């Protein structure tokens, strides 16, 4: 039997593994519903803006029009209310923008999944139950060259779908993080850069029970990535031993002056093993890089959880800086070709 050259690699969350069916069904909230809520928040900001203008006019009433102790107290109170209402207005405007931006993220995600499904169908992959199914894992030993070429093309198409799904997922998650950060920002929670932990501004605190779950998920992903790296390392070491054994066999055939056909066949086996070993070493390098990145993320999540626990029984939010790969449209035409 001929085995597929692609290993089943764990990729971050959602148990998304190379070789598994790829979901292409949109099941999040309707972007239009979220956009409508963002519009309502911005309309509320407009009403608050009207109140802020009223407070400002009251605070600037001329003493020629209204003078005395009561007038001074009214102007002072109106000035304070103006400042408060401006803050609320700005918070609502920012929150409305963030919600509408998130609606755009979901809309792009939905369109990306539709394009992904269309691409898979066009490439002849099986699309069933809102999932893109991988090609068969192996071919019989007597498969023709045409069958082998078609099988390889199917796996390349599946790999393109898989990479696109990962990019779509990561873009959607980046948009979600930005929305959550906007919510926290307008709730009055800010990161303390000096101590690398979150403190609440004033008396405001935000419960974030997902901290513990996130730390557990990051730890699991680090373990899975380390396991994938170990498996890739064992694969490379095994191929290296097989290559050396094949080289020894080739040398023995040459010394024994075996028929040319046997020597050529053995040389072809050596070359095939060398190509497999080269590919395995590339995969090992990638797997080790993923394992190192996942371990760093797990360490960071653990530090955030520890900081939250030190803050008392009420958990405090631990925000990370938004990644450089902020939410942006995923161009499937460039990815899928």
């Amino acid at each position: 039997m001929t085995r597929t050259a692609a290993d089943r690699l764990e990729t971050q969350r959602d148990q998304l593994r190379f070789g598994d069916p790829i979901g292409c069904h949109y099941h999040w909230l309707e972007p239009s519903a979220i956009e409508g809520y963002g519009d309502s928040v911005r309309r509320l900001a407009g009403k608050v803006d009207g109140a802020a203008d009223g407070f400002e006019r009251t605070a600037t009433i001329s003493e020629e029009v209204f003078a005395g102790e009561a007038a001074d107290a009214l102007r002072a109170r109106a000035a304070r209310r103006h400042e408060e209402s401006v803050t609320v207005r700005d918070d609502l405007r920012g929150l409305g923008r963030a919600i509408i931006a998130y609606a755009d993220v979901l809309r792009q995600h939905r369109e990306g999944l539709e394009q992904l499904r269309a691409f898979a169908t066009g490439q002849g992959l099986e699309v069933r139950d809102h999932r893109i199914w991988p090609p068969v894992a192996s071919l019989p030993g007597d498969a023709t060259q045409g069958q082998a070429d078609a099988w390889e093309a199917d796996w390349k198409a599946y790999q393109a779908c898989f990479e696109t799904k990962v990019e779509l997922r990561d873009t959607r998650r980046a948009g979600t993080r930005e929305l959550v950060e906007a919510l926290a920002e307008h709730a009055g929670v800010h990161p303390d850069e000096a101590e690398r932990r979150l403190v609440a501004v004033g008396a405001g605190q935000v419960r974030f029970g997902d901290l513990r779950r996130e730390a557990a998920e990051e730890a699991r992903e680090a373990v899975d990535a380390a396991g994938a790296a170990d498996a890739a390392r064992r694969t490379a070491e095994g191929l290296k031993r097989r290559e050396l054994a094949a080289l020894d066999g080739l040398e023995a055939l040459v010394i024994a002056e075996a028929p040319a056909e046997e020597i050529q066949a053995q040389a072809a086996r050596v070359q095939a093993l060398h190509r497999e070993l080269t590919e395995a070493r590339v995969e090992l390098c990638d797997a080790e890089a993923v394992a190192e990145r996942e371990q760093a993320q797990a360490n960071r999540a653990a530090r955030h959880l520890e900081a939250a626990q030190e803050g008392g029984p009420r958990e405090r939010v631990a925000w990370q800086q938004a990644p450089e790969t902020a939410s942006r449209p995923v161009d499937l035409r460039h990815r899928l070709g």
Side-chain angles (χ1 to χ4, degrees), residues 242-310:
R242 291 174 58 190
E243 182 189 33
L244 292 175
L247 283 170
D248 291 340
L250 178 61
E251 183 180 6
L253 289 174
V254 172
I255 293 175
E257 297 182 355
E261 294 80 5
E262 294 184 16
I263 294 176
Q264 291 176 357
Q266 184 66 15
R269 283 193 287 271
V270 171
Q271 292 175 354
L273 285 171
H274 183 73
R275 287 194 296 270
E276 288 188 51
L277 177 59
T278 300
E279 294 174 357
R281 284 172 171 168
V282 172
E283 293 175 0
L284 172 59
C285 182
D286 294 341
E288 288 177 338
V290 171
E292 183 177 354
R293 182 172 64 252
E294 293 291 349
Q295 185 61 55
Q297 292 176 352
N299 293 341
R300 183 162 55 248
R303 288 195 300 270
H304 290 162
L305 178 58
E306 181 181 1
Q309 290 173 339
E310 290 175 356

Side-chain angles (χ1 to χ4, degrees), residues 189-234:
V189 181
H190 303 274
D192 186 344
E193 296 295 338
E195 297 184 8
R196 304 296 298 174
R197 59 181 293 183
L198 263 203
V199 296
V201 175
Q205 286 185 335
V206 173
R207 290 182 178 273
F208 197 44
D210 285 344
L211 275 178
R212 188 172 289 104
R213 177 185 57 78
E214 180 182 352
E217 289 180 351
E218 293 289 0
R220 187 197 66 235
E221 290 162 13
V223 172
D224 290 343
D230 289 340
R233 189 176 300 107
R234 289 193 297 270

Side-chain angles (χ1 to χ4, degrees), residues 135-155:
V136 295
S138 60
L139 288 177
D142 58 354
T144 65
Q145 184 62 44
Q147 290 173 328
D149 292 342
W151 178 75
E152 182 178 355
D154 287 344
W155 271 105

